[in-house]
Amino acid sequence: MAIHGYPGQIISATPPSGFSGIWTLGNFPSYGTTVSQVFTFTDTWVCPAGVTSVDYLVVAAGGGGAANFSGGGGGAGGFRTGTALAVTPGTSYTITVGAGGTGGPSGSSSGMTNGGNSTFSSITSNGGGYGASNGVNSNGNAGGSGGGGMAGTPSAGGAGNTPSTTPSQGNNGGTAQGAPN
């Protein structure tokens, strides 16, 4: 059974045989239950007693797109998942949730930024690369997934899976060619 909740939230569900009281995220592990926690902002997670490994999904923020009419879109944030990551009961782990990249201001060919990185323990997913623009950055920028190329002038998408992880956290940005429609 998977129960989804937020830190400190009281969960109600059908308890296993022999349990009485209120279930919280702190007392699930002692009853062999799977607990999922979702973090949408930077926070701290304290590993409960009896938990020695976790499965994880860490997604970074997307990169900013270019504002001009032929500019490339921002790349998706890196995506990393795995099972049985060793953790220590009673230890506090910082969860960092990356912020979305800044898009280029209207009429400008600069100002875009990569998305922010997201982390849990030793796992980092890198933010997506910003999109290509006519001016300072003629190609998409590298990131978890690369930013897209710019139309009009053949322009390469940024490299994905940067820095390199196994398995890959993302893909290269698309290469644009020809005039925009």
Side-chain angles (χ1 to χ4, degrees):
M1 162 173 70
I3 302 293
H4 300 276
Y6 298 95
Q9 178 181 1
I10 295 175
I11 306 288
S12 107
T14 305
S17 175
F19 181 86
S20 64
I22 297 175
W23 281 18
T24 67
L25 293 176
N27 67 14
F28 275 7
S30 62
Y31 287 89
T33 306
T34 299
V35 176
S36 296
Q37 284 185 261
V38 177
F39 294 87
T40 57
F41 53 88
T42 297
D43 204 350
T44 300
W45 175 72
V46 179
C47 182
V51 175
T52 58
S53 69
V54 295
D55 299 343
Y56 62 88
L57 168 65
V58 180
V59 181
N68 55 33
F69 73 96
S70 61
F79 174 98
R80 298 194 60 198
T81 185
T83 59
L85 177 69
V87 291
T88 304
T91 301
S92 294
Y93 294 89
T94 300
I95 310 290
T96 304
V97 177
T102 302
S106 180
S108 174
S109 61
S110 63
M112 293 78 66
T113 63
N114 279 10
N117 297 345
S118 293
T119 60
F120 168 66
S121 185
S122 60
I123 307 301
T124 299
S125 291
N126 286 77
Y130 57 77
S133 176
N134 60 350
V136 179
N137 56 317
S138 59
N139 293 322
N141 203 43
S145 285
M150 172 186 71
T153 307
S155 174
N161 195 35
T162 303
S164 182
T165 62
T166 302
S168 177
Q169 64 177 314
N171 298 302
N172 295 338
T175 298
Q177 297 179 1
N181 292 330

